[in-house]
Amino acid sequence: MENERAQDTAGQPVGGGRTDPATEAFVAHRNLLFTVAYEMLGSAADVEDVLQETWLRWAGVDLGTVRDQRAYLVRIATRQALSRLRTLGRRKESYVGPWLPAPLLTAPDVAEDVELADSVSMAMLLVLETLSPVERAVFVLRDVFDLGYDEIAEAVDKSPAAVRQIAHRARAHVAARRPRGVVSPADTRHALDAFQRAATTGDLQGLLDILAPDVVFLGDGGGIKQAFPQPVVGADKVARLLAAGLNRAITAALRPAQVNGYPALVLRLDGEIDTVVAVRVDDGLITGLYAVRNPEKLSHMHQETALRR
């Protein structure tokens, strides 16, 4: 029965009858667990594995011994995500070309929660990649979800005093690297529209006008799809590369979508998602362009409403 119920951690419990208390608690907090794990891992596929493992462990717990079900579930999910994060770190060492988080199509209501959208944006997830696994877990649990230090300490197997120090260190690290301010979806959409118009028409000056002088272009093909093997830095280089290298017919096929809480562009070929282009915008200019082409990262892309605090 546990295995049967565990098959549907992606949504509602299996079957149409009444659910047991363990399943009800898991379903009630699943969206929170998904978001915690995604902010730690940046991969929907790995998050689903973490949720599966979390459910299997939760299903064996004596609920009579649990004082706070939400905190207990977060602790299980965090420990599973930490274990997976360390494995991913070893995997990334041999990754072909730049590594980008796996994008998520998100519902409009995610963008309405500005702080949540900022925390799952492609730009922020890349900043979180520069933290150690424990620093990332502590930052996400404390600064994004405002969990208490005692709760976090239990989740990461550290003392509350150590967690305070880690949180301070991680917060300073992120502050030095994060986008300069929270950008509204409207500002991002405006920048994307200008970028798409210029790229579609091959307007080099139009591209230069919307790109920041220090813009960075990253392409993630994972060694499977063609992508630029190194970051391209600087407005002139990025603009010339895009103006010369993009097929205008393909560029014209890019369609707007809500990705990781912000407007982005999605290219579909033969009905399948081929490329997702997310951006980072600062002061009205594009400072980061992130093109994900690795099909392994796009295969789990779906309309995801699970991102919640």
Side-chain angles (χ1 to χ4, degrees), residues 24-43:
E24 289 178 354
F26 184 86
V27 171
H29 298 297
R30 183 192 182 281
N31 290 346
L32 168 66
L33 303 178
F34 183 100
T35 310
V36 168
Y38 180 71
E39 293 204 28
M40 289 180 61
L41 299 171
S43 165

PDB file of all heavy atoms in Angstrom, residues 24-43:
ATOM      1  N   GLU A  24      -2.427  12.634   3.940  1.00  0.00           N
ATOM      2  CA  GLU A  24      -3.013  13.967   4.005  1.00  0.00           C
ATOM      3  C   GLU A  24      -1.966  15.014   4.367  1.00  0.00           C
ATOM      4  O   GLU A  24      -1.931  16.100   3.775  1.00  0.00           O
ATOM      5  CB  GLU A  24      -4.143  13.980   5.042  1.00  0.00           C
ATOM      6  CG  GLU A  24      -5.388  13.214   4.596  1.00  0.00           C
ATOM      7  CD  GLU A  24      -6.458  13.207   5.655  1.00  0.00           C
ATOM      8  OE1 GLU A  24      -6.177  13.698   6.779  1.00  0.00           O
ATOM      9  OE2 GLU A  24      -7.568  12.720   5.381  1.00  0.00           O
ATOM     10  N   ALA A  25      -1.106  14.689   5.327  1.00  0.00           N
ATOM     11  CA  ALA A  25      -0.071  15.639   5.744  1.00  0.00           C
ATOM     12  C   ALA A  25       0.936  15.869   4.623  1.00  0.00           C
ATOM     13  O   ALA A  25       1.355  17.006   4.361  1.00  0.00           O
ATOM     14  CB  ALA A  25       0.639  15.119   6.993  1.00  0.00           C
ATOM     15  N   PHE A  26       1.319  14.794   3.943  1.00  0.00           N
ATOM     16  CA  PHE A  26       2.289  14.916   2.855  1.00  0.00           C
ATOM     17  C   PHE A  26       1.724  15.779   1.732  1.00  0.00           C
ATOM     18  O   PHE A  26       2.387  16.679   1.218  1.00  0.00           O
ATOM     19  CB  PHE A  26       2.672  13.539   2.325  1.00  0.00           C
ATOM     20  CG  PHE A  26       3.734  13.588   1.258  1.00  0.00           C
ATOM     21  CD1 PHE A  26       5.070  13.611   1.594  1.00  0.00           C
ATOM     22  CD2 PHE A  26       3.384  13.624  -0.082  1.00  0.00           C
ATOM     23  CE1 PHE A  26       6.045  13.678   0.618  1.00  0.00           C
ATOM     24  CE2 PHE A  26       4.345  13.687  -1.069  1.00  0.00           C
ATOM     25  CZ  PHE A  26       5.688  13.716  -0.713  1.00  0.00           C
ATOM     26  N   VAL A  27       0.489  15.512   1.332  1.00  0.00           N
ATOM     27  CA  VAL A  27      -0.133  16.281   0.250  1.00  0.00           C
ATOM     28  C   VAL A  27      -0.286  17.746   0.659  1.00  0.00           C
ATOM     29  O   VAL A  27      -0.079  18.657  -0.144  1.00  0.00           O
ATOM     30  CB  VAL A  27      -1.499  15.669  -0.123  1.00  0.00           C
ATOM     31  CG1 VAL A  27      -2.262  16.579  -1.075  1.00  0.00           C
ATOM     32  CG2 VAL A  27      -1.304  14.298  -0.749  1.00  0.00           C
ATOM     33  N   ALA A  28      -0.627  17.986   1.922  1.00  0.00           N
ATOM     34  CA  ALA A  28      -0.824  19.362   2.393  1.00  0.00           C
ATOM     35  C   ALA A  28       0.448  20.186   2.284  1.00  0.00           C
ATOM     36  O   ALA A  28       0.401  21.400   2.043  1.00  0.00           O
ATOM     37  CB  ALA A  28      -1.326  19.348   3.841  1.00  0.00           C
ATOM     38  N   HIS A  29       1.594  19.540   2.469  1.00  0.00           N
ATOM     39  CA  HIS A  29       2.870  20.268   2.488  1.00  0.00           C
ATOM     40  C   HIS A  29       3.735  20.008   1.254  1.00  0.00           C
ATOM     41  O   HIS A  29       4.860  20.493   1.183  1.00  0.00           O
ATOM     42  CB  HIS A  29       3.661  19.891   3.748  1.00  0.00           C
ATOM     43  CG  HIS A  29       2.970  20.253   5.020  1.00  0.00           C
ATOM     44  ND1 HIS A  29       2.687  21.566   5.370  1.00  0.00           N
ATOM     45  CD2 HIS A  29       2.482  19.478   6.028  1.00  0.00           C
ATOM     46  CE1 HIS A  29       2.070  21.582   6.534  1.00  0.00           C
ATOM     47  NE2 HIS A  29       1.931  20.335   6.952  1.00  0.00           N
ATOM     48  N   ARG A  30       3.183  19.280   0.296  1.00  0.00           N
ATOM     49  CA  ARG A  30       4.004  18.895  -0.854  1.00  0.00           C
ATOM     50  C   ARG A  30       4.536  20.096  -1.630  1.00  0.00           C
ATOM     51  O   ARG A  30       5.691  20.110  -2.057  1.00  0.00           O
ATOM     52  CB  ARG A  30       3.203  18.000  -1.816  1.00  0.00           C
ATOM     53  CG  ARG A  30       4.048  17.522  -2.988  1.00  0.00           C
ATOM     54  CD  ARG A  30       3.233  16.880  -4.082  1.00  0.00           C
ATOM     55  NE  ARG A  30       4.100  16.405  -5.142  1.00  0.00           N
ATOM     56  CZ  ARG A  30       4.634  17.184  -6.082  1.00  0.00           C
ATOM     57  NH1 ARG A  30       4.394  18.472  -6.082  1.00  0.00           N
ATOM     58  NH2 ARG A  30       5.420  16.666  -7.013  1.00  0.00           N
ATOM     59  N   ASN A  31       3.696  21.119  -1.847  1.00  0.00           N
ATOM     60  CA  ASN A  31       4.147  22.281  -2.596  1.00  0.00           C
ATOM     61  C   ASN A  31       5.336  22.966  -1.926  1.00  0.00           C
ATOM     62  O   ASN A  31       6.284  23.395  -2.589  1.00  0.00           O
ATOM     63  CB  ASN A  31       3.001  23.284  -2.763  1.00  0.00           C
ATOM     64  CG  ASN A  31       1.927  22.776  -3.701  1.00  0.00           C
ATOM     65  OD1 ASN A  31       2.137  21.818  -4.428  1.00  0.00           O
ATOM     66  ND2 ASN A  31       0.778  23.421  -3.675  1.00  0.00           N
ATOM     67  N   LEU A  32       5.278  23.075  -0.611  1.00  0.00           N
ATOM     68  CA  LEU A  32       6.392  23.646   0.144  1.00  0.00           C
ATOM     69  C   LEU A  32       7.642  22.796  -0.032  1.00  0.00           C
ATOM     70  O   LEU A  32       8.737  23.316  -0.282  1.00  0.00           O
ATOM     71  CB  LEU A  32       6.025  23.746   1.622  1.00  0.00           C
ATOM     72  CG  LEU A  32       7.188  24.067   2.578  1.00  0.00           C
ATOM     73  CD1 LEU A  32       7.718  25.457   2.321  1.00  0.00           C
ATOM     74  CD2 LEU A  32       6.736  23.926   4.028  1.00  0.00           C
ATOM     75  N   LEU A  33       7.505  21.480   0.099  1.00  0.00           N
ATOM     76  CA  LEU A  33       8.652  20.580  -0.037  1.00  0.00           C
ATOM     77  C   LEU A  33       9.262  20.670  -1.430  1.00  0.00           C
ATOM     78  O   LEU A  33      10.485  20.656  -1.591  1.00  0.00           O
ATOM     79  CB  LEU A  33       8.234  19.141   0.269  1.00  0.00           C
ATOM     80  CG  LEU A  33       7.618  18.884   1.644  1.00  0.00           C
ATOM     81  CD1 LEU A  33       7.214  17.422   1.774  1.00  0.00           C
ATOM     82  CD2 LEU A  33       8.573  19.281   2.756  1.00  0.00           C
ATOM     83  N   PHE A  34       8.377  20.765  -2.443  1.00  0.00           N
ATOM     84  CA  PHE A  34       8.860  20.893  -3.819  1.00  0.00           C
ATOM     85  C   PHE A  34       9.715  22.148  -3.960  1.00  0.00           C
ATOM     86  O   PHE A  34      10.820  22.121  -4.532  1.00  0.00           O
ATOM     87  CB  PHE A  34       7.679  20.953  -4.781  1.00  0.00           C
ATOM     88  CG  PHE A  34       8.080  21.014  -6.236  1.00  0.00           C
ATOM     89  CD1 PHE A  34       8.057  19.876  -7.021  1.00  0.00           C
ATOM     90  CD2 PHE A  34       8.478  22.210  -6.817  1.00  0.00           C
ATOM     91  CE1 PHE A  34       8.436  19.917  -8.355  1.00  0.00           C
ATOM     92  CE2 PHE A  34       8.867  22.269  -8.147  1.00  0.00           C
ATOM     93  CZ  PHE A  34       8.845  21.122  -8.917  1.00  0.00           C
ATOM     94  N   THR A  35       9.229  23.269  -3.439  1.00  0.00           N
ATOM     95  CA  THR A  35       9.943  24.529  -3.597  1.00  0.00           C
ATOM     96  C   THR A  35      11.268  24.516  -2.852  1.00  0.00           C
ATOM     97  O   THR A  35      12.287  24.983  -3.372  1.00  0.00           O
ATOM     98  CB  THR A  35       9.071  25.703  -3.117  1.00  0.00           C
ATOM     99  OG1 THR A  35       7.781  25.614  -3.729  1.00  0.00           O
ATOM    100  CG2 THR A  35       9.699  27.032  -3.496  1.00  0.00           C
ATOM    101  N   VAL A  36      11.276  24.003  -1.626  1.00  0.00           N
ATOM    102  CA  VAL A  36      12.523  23.903  -0.864  1.00  0.00           C
ATOM    103  C   VAL A  36      13.546  23.089  -1.643  1.00  0.00           C
ATOM    104  O   VAL A  36      14.708  23.506  -1.819  1.00  0.00           O
ATOM    105  CB  VAL A  36      12.272  23.269   0.519  1.00  0.00           C
ATOM    106  CG1 VAL A  36      13.595  22.906   1.186  1.00  0.00           C
ATOM    107  CG2 VAL A  36      11.483  24.213   1.413  1.00  0.00           C
ATOM    108  N   ALA A  37      13.145  21.923  -2.120  1.00  0.00           N
ATOM    109  CA  ALA A  37      14.074  21.040  -2.832  1.00  0.00           C
ATOM    110  C   ALA A  37      14.518  21.651  -4.158  1.00  0.00           C
ATOM    111  O   ALA A  37      15.687  21.536  -4.549  1.00  0.00           O
ATOM    112  CB  ALA A  37      13.435  19.673  -3.059  1.00  0.00           C
ATOM    113  N   TYR A  38      13.599  22.319  -4.863  1.00  0.00           N
ATOM    114  CA  TYR A  38      13.969  22.916  -6.155  1.00  0.00           C
ATOM    115  C   TYR A  38      14.972  24.046  -5.964  1.00  0.00           C
ATOM    116  O   TYR A  38      15.922  24.192  -6.737  1.00  0.00           O
ATOM    117  CB  TYR A  38      12.728  23.428  -6.878  1.00  0.00           C
ATOM    118  CG  TYR A  38      13.063  24.042  -8.218  1.00  0.00           C
ATOM    119  CD1 TYR A  38      13.462  23.248  -9.294  1.00  0.00           C
ATOM    120  CD2 TYR A  38      13.015  25.417  -8.401  1.00  0.00           C
ATOM    121  CE1 TYR A  38      13.797  23.807 -10.519  1.00  0.00           C
ATOM    122  CE2 TYR A  38      13.339  25.993  -9.624  1.00  0.00           C
ATOM    123  CZ  TYR A  38      13.743  25.183 -10.676  1.00  0.00           C
ATOM    124  OH  TYR A  38      14.087  25.755 -11.881  1.00  0.00           O
ATOM    125  N   GLU A  39      14.792  24.873  -4.943  1.00  0.00           N
ATOM    126  CA  GLU A  39      15.740  25.956  -4.711  1.00  0.00           C
ATOM    127  C   GLU A  39      17.111  25.425  -4.297  1.00  0.00           C
ATOM    128  O   GLU A  39      18.127  26.081  -4.526  1.00  0.00           O
ATOM    129  CB  GLU A  39      15.200  26.917  -3.663  1.00  0.00           C
ATOM    130  CG  GLU A  39      13.973  27.666  -4.152  1.00  0.00           C
ATOM    131  CD  GLU A  39      13.758  28.985  -3.448  1.00  0.00           C
ATOM    132  OE1 GLU A  39      14.740  29.582  -2.989  1.00  0.00           O
ATOM    133  OE2 GLU A  39      12.604  29.419  -3.363  1.00  0.00           O
ATOM    134  N   MET A  40      17.143  24.242  -3.728  1.00  0.00           N
ATOM    135  CA  MET A  40      18.424  23.639  -3.377  1.00  0.00           C
ATOM    136  C   MET A  40      19.077  22.929  -4.560  1.00  0.00           C
ATOM    137  O   MET A  40      20.296  22.914  -4.683  1.00  0.00           O
ATOM    138  CB  MET A  40      18.239  22.649  -2.221  1.00  0.00           C
ATOM    139  CG  MET A  40      17.952  23.306  -0.881  1.00  0.00           C
ATOM    140  SD  MET A  40      17.741  22.091   0.449  1.00  0.00           S
ATOM    141  CE  MET A  40      19.358  21.279   0.443  1.00  0.00           C
ATOM    142  N   LEU A  41      18.260  22.367  -5.461  1.00  0.00           N
ATOM    143  CA  LEU A  41      18.793  21.498  -6.511  1.00  0.00           C
ATOM    144  C   LEU A  41      18.742  22.099  -7.909  1.00  0.00           C
ATOM    145  O   LEU A  41      19.564  21.759  -8.761  1.00  0.00           O
ATOM    146  CB  LEU A  41      18.034  20.161  -6.510  1.00  0.00           C
ATOM    147  CG  LEU A  41      18.127  19.345  -5.229  1.00  0.00           C
ATOM    148  CD1 LEU A  41      17.147  18.171  -5.285  1.00  0.00           C
ATOM    149  CD2 LEU A  41      19.537  18.836  -5.013  1.00  0.00           C
ATOM    150  N   GLY A  42      17.753  22.931  -8.196  1.00  0.00           N
ATOM    151  CA  GLY A  42      17.618  23.499  -9.530  1.00  0.00           C
ATOM    152  C   GLY A  42      17.286  22.479 -10.590  1.00  0.00           C
ATOM    153  O   GLY A  42      17.578  22.678 -11.764  1.00  0.00           O
ATOM    154  N   SER A  43      16.641  21.400 -10.207  1.00  0.00           N
ATOM    155  CA  SER A  43      16.300  20.329 -11.156  1.00  0.00           C
ATOM    156  C   SER A  43      14.993  19.683 -10.746  1.00  0.00           C
ATOM    157  O   SER A  43      14.906  19.084  -9.670  1.00  0.00           O
ATOM    158  CB  SER A  43      17.413  19.272 -11.197  1.00  0.00           C
ATOM    159  OG  SER A  43      16.968  18.086 -11.821  1.00  0.00           O
TER     160      SER A  43
END
